[in-house]
Each structure stands twice: as C-alpha cells, then as structure tokens.
Amino acid sequence: MQLTFIIFFIYAYIPLVQNTQQQIELDEISIKPTVGEPWPKPQSIQTTSVRFAVHPAAFHFLTNETSQQCDLLRNAFDRYYKIIFFPQTYMLHLTDPLLADIKIHHLKEALRNVSDLGDVTLLKRLIVNIEQPCEEWPRLESNESYTLVVKEGHALLDAVSVWGALRGLETFSQLIYPDSDLQFAINETTIYDFPRFQHRGFLLDTGTHFISQKTLKINLEAMAQSKMNVFHFHIVDDQSFPYDSITYPELSGKGAFDRNHIYSQADIGELLEFARQRGIRVFIEFDSPAHSRSWGRAYDILTQCYSEKKPNNKLGPMDPSRNTTFEFLKNFFHEVAQIFPDRYVHLGADEVYFDCWESNPSITQFMRQMEFGTNYSLLEQYFMQTLINIVNATGKNYVVWQDIIDNNVTLQTDTVVEVWKEPYPDEMARVTKLGYKTLLSSCWYLNLISYGDDWHKYYKCDPYNFTGTEEQKKLVMGGEACMWGEYVDSTNVISSTWPRAAAPAERLWSSVDTNDVIEAAPRLAEHRCRYLRRGIPAAPVNGPGYCPTEYSG
Amino acid sequence: MQLTFIIFFIYAYIPLVQNTQQQIELDEISIKPTVGEPWPKPQSIQTTSVRFAVHPAAFHFLTNETSQQCDLLRNAFDRYYKIIFFPQTYMLHLTDPLLADIKIHHLKEALRNVSDLGDVTLLKRLIVNIEQPCEEWPRLESNESYTLVVKEGHALLDAVSVWGALRGLETFSQLIYPDSDLQFAINETTIYDFPRFQHRGFLLDTGTHFISQKTLKINLEAMAQSKMNVFHFHIVDDQSFPYDSITYPELSGKGAFDRNHIYSQADIGELLEFARQRGIRVFIEFDSPAHSRSWGRAYDILTQCYSEKKPNNKLGPMDPSRNTTFEFLKNFFHEVAQIFPDRYVHLGADEVYFDCWESNPSITQFMRQMEFGTNYSLLEQYFMQTLINIVNATGKNYVVWQDIIDNNVTLQTDTVVEVWKEPYPDEMARVTKLGYKTLLSSCWYLNLISYGDDWHKYYKCDPYNFTGTEEQKKLVMGGEACMWGEYVDSTNVISSTWPRAAAPAERLWSSVDTNDVIEAAPRLAEHRCRYLRRGIPAAPVNGPGYCPTEYSG
C-alpha cells in the first residue's frame, strides 16, 4: 500500500481566500437548512432571538392540575423526551430497545453537565393542559388545535384534545435545535396552530410489494413528524393478499406471495396501536370488485371470463350474479369492521372494466333477470350498492375511488369520493357538484418519480383549487399522498416517500398562503435533516447539500 | 383493543379454486425470478437438471498443486464461503464482525446436518487453478476469463489470473441456490466466460452529496457481484471537496461541507484495499478547470469573474494565466499519483464555459501575450495540455470528458475520451473517428430517474452501436454507469443504483446477443433477490412481485 508514505512538498505559496466569500459560495450552490423551524408551518408563529438552553437532566414534561390525563399523553412525553435529547437512538427502540437504552446511557455520559453550560437560561418544563377527556381513537372530527408558548423558565402547551397535544409536542420538539454552545436550544416562541384540513392522509400499497412491519412503523413515525393523521392502508391488490383473515384464512394462505409475506392479526394490532399512539387513523382499503385477483386464488368469487363462448382461464372482477359472492363479502366485512376501529372503510371500486362481465353467459342472464339491458354500469351500481348496504350494516362509513362516479353510478349522498384523476380542478369541481364529500389525491402520486426537485409540484397543488360554490368547497375533507407499490418495497419506500410526502402534509395543514417553494425549501431542508437526525432515511430533494448529521443506518 | 375478540362465523361454503390456476395467475402478474442463474450471463453456459447438495460442513475451497497462491485468493475463499452459506450476515461483517460471527454461529446450529440430508450427492470441493502469478492491483489489461466446471463430487475453476478467479468465484456463488430439501443446491454446469469489454465502470459522485464510507463499501460489493471492475470515483465537485489532501489540507479543511464530510487518507486506503480485494480498479477523478469552486474556497487558483470591469465576487474555472495555478496542480497531482495506484486518472475537463475567462482583464492580457486572439478554446487547450504534461510526468495515463473535444481542443492520441452526450451513436462515431480511445456513459446516467422498468433502456444501449470502421470499434474500451449525486446520498444511493446498474454491467460483460429484456427480466429478478439475500437493498425494478428473502436492514 502506498498510503504509508508521508509526502513532503515544498510548494508554492498559494494565497488563502477570505471566509466571507466561502460562505457566499456555499449558499449559492446549495440550499441552507433553517434552524429550529417547524414543518408543517404553524398557522401563527411569533419567535424572537431570545434563546434558552434545554438539558435532559433539567427538563420535564408535566400536565397542569386541571388537565385531563391519559396513557396516550404519558407515552408521548416518554417518546418526545427521547426524540429531543437522543434522536439518533430513537428508531432503534423499534427493533432493539435494550441496545437503544444502552446507547442513551452512553450519550448521557458524553453530554456536558447542566452546571458546565455556564450562565445560561434553562427551559425547565413544558406544562401541558388538555381540556377534553382523552378519546381512545382519533376521528375525522378530532380537534387538533393547540397553543404553544415558550418563554423564560418554562413552556405552556394548551390543547382541546389529546390529539392537539400530540401535534403541539411534535412542534415543540422541532423548535429545539442542536447548538454547539448550549447543546440543545430553543427560542422564545408563541404559536397558535390548527390544521386546514381534517383528513391528511398517506396511502401505502402493500398488495403489489410487501412492506415489512418495521418499515410500516417507520413510515407511521415519519407521518407523525409531518402531522399527517390518516394512514390509508391499501393492504391487498391483484398481486397479493397479505391480510391474514380470521374468517377466511385461505385469502392469505393462497393469496399472499408466501407465508413470509403476511400481516398476522398480531401485526395488525401492533400497527393500529402504534398509529393510535401518534394520533393517526388507520383507514383500511379492501378494493373490489376489481383489483381483486388475489382474492380469487382461494375463493371462487371472481367472474370467469370467456373467449369465443368458452371459459378462457382468466378471472375478472367479483361476480355479482352469485349470492355466494355477497355472503362472502358480508362475512369478510363483518370481520373488517371489528378489527379496524376507524369509522371509515375504503371500498375501492376503481378501474372496473366491463369486458369480462360482458363475456360471461351467467352474467348476461343475470343482467336480463335484473332488467339492466346492456348497461353494465347498472351491474356495477348493483354490486356497489349491495356491498355498501353490507358495510353500512356494520356501522361503518365508506370511501370509494372516483371511477364509480365516472361510470355514472349513483351512490348515497354520504359517500366520500376520492379523486385521483387529472386535471384535478375539473374532477374536484365535478364530484363536489354531485354533492359528494371528496378527498384529493390526483396530484400527489409520489410513486410516479421524476428527476429533480419534484416536491415543488406537490407543494403547489391545492384541494381548493377548483371552480365551485362555498358549499362545494365545504365538501372537501382533505387529501392523500399516495405511494403505490409497483416499484417500492422495504428497500426504498421510506427514502422514496420522505420528505416528498411532507409537501402535501404542509399543504393540508398550513394556511392557504403558505405556498412559496422558495420560502419552503430551506425549511424542508431542515425537516429532512431532522428526519436523518432522528434515524429516518429521508432522501435529498433540494439538489446538492448536506446535513450536519447524516443517515448512518 | 378489539383484537382480543375471537370471531366465529358460520359462513357460506365458498368453493376453493384449483392450485394450477393460482400459479398461472401469479406468473401472469409478476415476473418470476430464475433459480441459480448468474448475472451477468456467461459467454457460454451449459447446465443440466442433475443437481448436488452443498453443505457448509462438507465443502471446501482449494487450490490445486500447480496453482499460483496469494492473499487475494485466500481472502476471496473466506468471503465466498460466507456469501454462499451465510449471506444474511455478510454485509454485517463490514460494520460489526463480532455480531456477524455470532449470527453465523446461530445459523450453523439451525442448519440440518449433512447426515440428515439423506441420500444426496454432495459437491464437496471447488478446486481453483490460477496460471499466472497474482498481480497486486487490477489493470485495464488484466485477464478476467475463467472456466468453471461443476460435476459430481467437485467443481473446477481455471483462470489465467487471480482476477479471473475472482469472477469465477462470483459465478460459482451465484450458481448455488437455496433449496427447501437440500438447503443449498447447485446444478451440473460448464461455463467458459470472459468479458466483452475491459472497462466496466461505475461513477459515483461524492462532491454534491457526501456518501458514507460504509455506503461506498456496500456499493463496491454490489459492483463485484455484477462483475463491474472500475470504480470511477468522482470525489470532488463545485459543492464540496471531501478528499483530505496531505499536500493541501485546506482543500478539505475549507472545501468540504464540514469536518464530518471528509474522506481521510485512512478512509481512502481502506477503500482502495476493499476494491482491490474484489478486483476493482479505483479510477479517481479530480475535475478541472471547471466544476472546481470548492477548490477555490481555500486556495486562490480560480478565475475572478468581472461585471462592468469590476470583480463581481464570482469565481470561474481555474486561472490558466497564473503560474501559481499550475504549481498548485503539479504538487496536487504528484500526491494523487502516489495515493491512487491505478494507471488512469480522470481529469474532468467538462463544462468549461468561457464567459468568466472572457470577463477577466488579466486573462485578456494573457491571451494577447500567448497570441490566442479571442479563441478561448486555445486557452482551454493550453490549460489542459499543461495539466496533461504534469500528469504524464507522474507516469499516469488520463481520461477526459468529451467536452474538450467538442470545444475543438486537440489532445495527444493516447488520450481516453469519455462520451456522455446524446445521441450517443453520433458522439461515439465522432470521437473514435478522431482516433481517441473512448468510454461510453451517455445512455447510463442512472441518476436521471424515471417511472417504470427503466432498466430496459439501459440494457438496450450498446457501446458498439455506432457507424464506424473496425479500427474505430477497437478504440472502445467499455463504458460506465453514472450516479451523479444531486439527489442521492447514503439514504438512497444503493437502492437507486442497484439493480439498475446491473443492466449496463451485463451489457459490458456478456456477449453482444445477450440483449433481450424479456429473457433478462427473470434473471434480473433473481439477481435482485440475491442482492437482498446478501444484505444489499436493491430496489424492485420489474413491477409487482416479491423475493423469498426480503431486505430486513
């Protein structure tokens, strides 16, 4: 090896350049992260240059005497203490809590003592007050507003509900930044904050590729850190059925890729609880009548397609001509209603093509019997209405993709329609005009990757950007970023999603005029660096640059 | 939690479907990985259905009595033993060898004994023969051919050089596949193999984002598993200078993002050795005269740009009008020549824009003095020729990007020109017609991500796909896949690169007629699953599907 050489050169004097110029240059060619600015941006924030030190040995989360108390809050205190002071061990708690605790122990030893910080003003307490008794599960209508005041000596966090307190704790943790002198610092700040939309969702598809339980948890954690509150779990699709049904175990037994690609009931329970602790609703989707080939690997509920009057070994959408199909769905959704506590279930209903139905003689006969003529939209409507009745009987509300509306199917007015087609302003106008509540996802298909700072386009899309009456606008519940699974799995889904999904997260939380990518870019850069510091591999999305603490996973 | 319920339903009998149909369906909707097929495809491979068991307690790598011996080979035996039998611990050896050994110990205990495998034929030995004494470092001209015969009882691997033996060992490891009955199985096989191109490179840019030492090693390992043999290390760029120079320590002292974003001399030494063990050349690039702003943060070697006859605080390319620039470069490249053993150095020379040079009065005066008129290509030529003389004096050969040729600069005929512009057939024809040796990278800019199975287009690109004489074709040394760093760092560079870079890897190794994406897709699916089994997070690139062993990192 030639590296053992020590090289001495007598070299020409090359003048050193000025530091100021260096700084100008560096700023010119990469976006500089902000320091201690939250993402998404609060509705109202006033901050001063007065700063306080925060130290793990001299800081406590407390509730005041009038506050409601609950496990959700106590667990959050424990979690945010770790996130704030020992972020680099935080995700390790998911997989190896013992090792994480050992690391925290060592990190504590490496910190300077409070007394060594010198003459600094310490922020010693965050005092939390929650007005309403804690709910067990977050709901669409949950109040997430909070007020956060950081002043000399202590900080105050007031919230109507525990969910608002969780959002406020996240903001508080983001106000604290690493500092070479103080170790951890926070500036005097007053925040009043609430979300612009109630439904701030993220769809993940585990039907085309399986995503590990660990990765699902990392994703939920990343969502919480961007204040997203709905995990739209598109759990099954044509390719696989990883949900381990109690009623119909062969759905995963034959429909999953294999035995190692299944979410057991224990896994589902863990995820529900993990999400609940973070104020995230788990909004389950079992897509039908199309996108259901994996269901058909075990149970005979799909339509047999025909070519030249013979079965051609292909299977189409679910078969509405047979009662057994609906008996199956009744039993299955009865289970779903019990397992998943959220009031909403997503029923899919996207991309139903009629060719297979049209080819099948039993369906033809059924169409005649039902007097549908050759209008297969009526068959689709019959299928969906029967399914909706089944789901309504379980006490659930439901959401469907817009396709069923596109097929001229009429549904009850309490239906929520998710818009996924472009141009989204036209689609939003059309669906709300029909009087349906809507969710927007068209402009937030994060799986459709492209080169460059593509978060700009996600950031600019707004659910209210359509022509419609006040009444129509009121029907907009929010939106969802979508990560369909064709080209992602546990190897790349986190870095492909984050921090790109933080762009819709801010659009859905912050005020309508928080929409300038130039202003947002340095904050997003900090938000990404914060993800890295906290052990989440969020990718670089602003072009060249660096984070003080890089990902080491 | 509602999960504690046990749900009993009396449900309708839903007939179960046939297994055959299930298999047809699954194959239709996702690409099924091959079993035990190597990537890149060998030049000649015959295989039968006769298969043998391979067991860690009953398998040895040996050399025959006539073979050359060396550390490179012994280390490879050790490495491939782990890769074959304990792949899931393999990458852990990089970071935590002790833990990896403990895991191997447990895995060994979980394996069935040889005697429990029943009446199977074991493959007990791979006997290696190397004809020529081992070289210390791989070279452009190294012979990588090998012959591999797997037959009853033992396998034989013959190679001219140790580098060919390394390639053969990789192929051997890929022939072995996990099997539910035999645990590890291999089929009777005869392979004769050699690369189509000598230079099969991968460029990684660590100047726009820093890539951790660990990630660089994972990448080198992934390269070796696709038989790529040149790591083009684009180590510095405008944004940062992470190379820790002995001669000019302030280059990284002021030019790196910060002190944590530097490759120390010890790091570089480790990487060189890690690459050498895998038969990979480290081909270093220090780009000049442009793409060099980070150099200018510490040393006054760049051109001061002017606006309206005043310095405007911007810096352009290196300043050829001052002797100090070349004295600096002489000292610097003297160091580079000693640290990096490869015979080739990449000098960059891309994207030199003349506007800053044109604005500077000292440069104007120098142009006059040199009688260059207003032809700034002559100034660029002067800069590069002076630099080339410096580099030649250190005993190195050099490579430049095609831009300098585009600027009508004439260089010595031993110059290697790397083509990166499109349409590449025209560019390849033009550059080879000028008589320069060439490398192709235009069609393999992997950083330019797009949605879908984009490896198809990388797979179809061929360095010989241009109109030219036999003489021109002979000038093509090979090519390079490039991962520029604007949007990648340690969070996503491995999953963004692999297995996409395996497409050019096969194009550069395998025969010209190995070019059918339909044939290649299931092999690439297996290659990706193999990466996962071996602990490398290669992303899904073939659409929906799964691997028996998923990434768990």
Side-chain angles (χ1 to χ4, degrees), chain A residues 134-174:
Chain A
C134 296
E135 296 174 303
E136 189 181 359
W137 296 97
R139 295 173 300 125
L140 175 67
E141 301 79 10
S142 293
N143 186 319
E144 295 172 290
S145 68
Y146 66 92
T147 304
L148 176 63
V149 179
V150 179
K151 55 186 182 183
E152 189 161 335
H154 63 276
L156 299 170
L157 172 61
D158 274 294
V160 175
S161 80
V162 67
W163 316 118
L166 294 183
R167 304 296 168 243
L169 283 167
E170 180 59 42
T171 303
F172 177 73
S173 76
Q174 296 189 3

Side-chain angles (χ1 to χ4, degrees), chain A residues 3 11 17 269 297 331 453 487, chain B residues 3 11 17 269 297 453 487:
Chain A
L3 293 179
Y11 57 85
V17 299
R297 279 191 218 123
N331 296 329
D453 297 21
Y487 297 95
Chain B
L3 293 179
Y11 58 86
V17 298
R297 282 194 214 119
D453 297 20
Y487 297 94

Side-chain angles (χ1 to χ4, degrees), chain A residues 199-443:
Chain A
H199 186 117
R200 305 180 306 282
F202 176 72
L203 174 148
L204 192 57
D205 159 23
T206 58
T208 47
H209 280 103
F210 187 79
I211 308 281
S212 74
Q213 178 83 348
K214 176 182 160 191
T215 306
L216 292 179
K217 288 183 181 172
I218 296 172
N219 190 62
L220 286 165
E221 181 59 45
M223 287 175 63
Q225 294 181 22
S226 286
K227 295 191 173 68
M228 286 185 132
N229 67 350
V230 183
F231 175 48
H232 179 160
F233 196 0
H234 183 91
I235 192 167
V236 308
D237 211 300
D238 282 330
Q239 289 79 9
S240 79
F241 198 104
Y243 172 72
D244 195 18
S245 167
I246 301 164
T247 319
Y248 293 113
E250 289 299 296
L251 278 171
S252 60
K254 293 195 170 171
F257 287 127
D258 71 18
R259 292 303 306 167
N260 299 322
H261 293 81
I262 287 177
Y263 303 111
S264 70
Q265 287 294 328
D267 292 336
I268 298 289
E270 253 185 41
L271 287 177
L272 287 167
E273 178 60 13
F274 193 91
R276 185 180 82 91
Q277 292 288 342
R278 286 152 184 81
I280 295 173
R281 296 163 50 205
V282 176
F283 170 38
I284 194 78
E285 175 176 358
F286 286 98
D287 200 348
S288 77
H291 283 282
S292 56
R293 276 198 272 181
S294 63
W295 308 53
R297 279 191 218 123
Y299 298 99
D300 184 17
I301 55 171
L302 302 187
T303 306
Q304 179 60 254
C305 314
Y306 281 65
S307 294
E308 298 172 3
K309 302 191 174 175
K310 284 179 198 157
N312 64 8
N313 253 338
K314 288 190 175 162
L315 295 169
M318 290 184 186
D319 186 343
S321 75
R322 289 185 282 168
N323 277 333
T324 48
T325 303
F326 293 112
E327 290 193 57
F328 179 93
L329 290 171
K330 186 176 171 185
N331 296 329
F332 182 73
F333 277 98
H334 190 130
E335 171 182 331
V336 168
Q338 292 196 46
I339 299 299
F340 295 93
D342 200 69
R343 189 155 54 80
Y344 285 88
V345 174
H346 203 301
L347 301 179
D350 56 321
E351 301 186 296
V352 182
Y353 303 113
F354 297 153
D355 50 343
C356 181
W357 278 348
E358 286 168 356
S359 76
N360 181 297
S362 313
I363 303 258
T364 309
Q365 196 185 343
F366 184 73
M367 292 284 289
R368 209 175 299 133
Q369 180 188 323
M370 299 294 284
E371 301 185 350
F372 290 163
T374 55
N375 185 350
Y376 286 84
S377 292
L378 292 175
L379 185 63
E380 187 182 14
Q381 179 162 317
Y382 169 78
F383 177 89
M384 285 310 298
Q385 195 52 61
T386 312
L387 178 59
I388 286 165
N389 292 344
I390 287 170
V391 171
N392 273 343
T394 68
K396 296 289 186 185
N397 289 44
Y398 58 93
V399 181
V400 290
W401 295 106
Q402 70 169 93
D403 308 53
I404 189 158
I405 305 298
D406 302 345
N407 284 356
N408 293 317
V409 169
T410 304
L411 297 169
Q412 298 160 210
T413 52
D414 63 347
T415 303
V416 181
V417 176
E418 183 157 8
V419 168
W420 68 275
K421 295 185 182 175
E422 293 280 7
Y424 80 87
D426 297 351
E427 300 296 322
M428 291 295 285
R430 189 167 61 85
V431 171
T432 53
K433 199 162 190 178
L434 292 167
Y436 297 113
K437 289 186 197 164
T438 58
L439 291 169
L440 172 64
S441 63
S442 316
C443 50

Side-chain angles (χ1 to χ4, degrees), chain B residues 413-431:
Chain B
T413 51
D414 64 347
T415 303
V416 181
V417 175
E418 184 157 8
V419 167
W420 68 276
K421 296 186 181 174
E422 293 278 8
Y424 79 87
D426 297 352
E427 300 296 323
M428 291 296 284
R430 189 168 60 85
V431 171

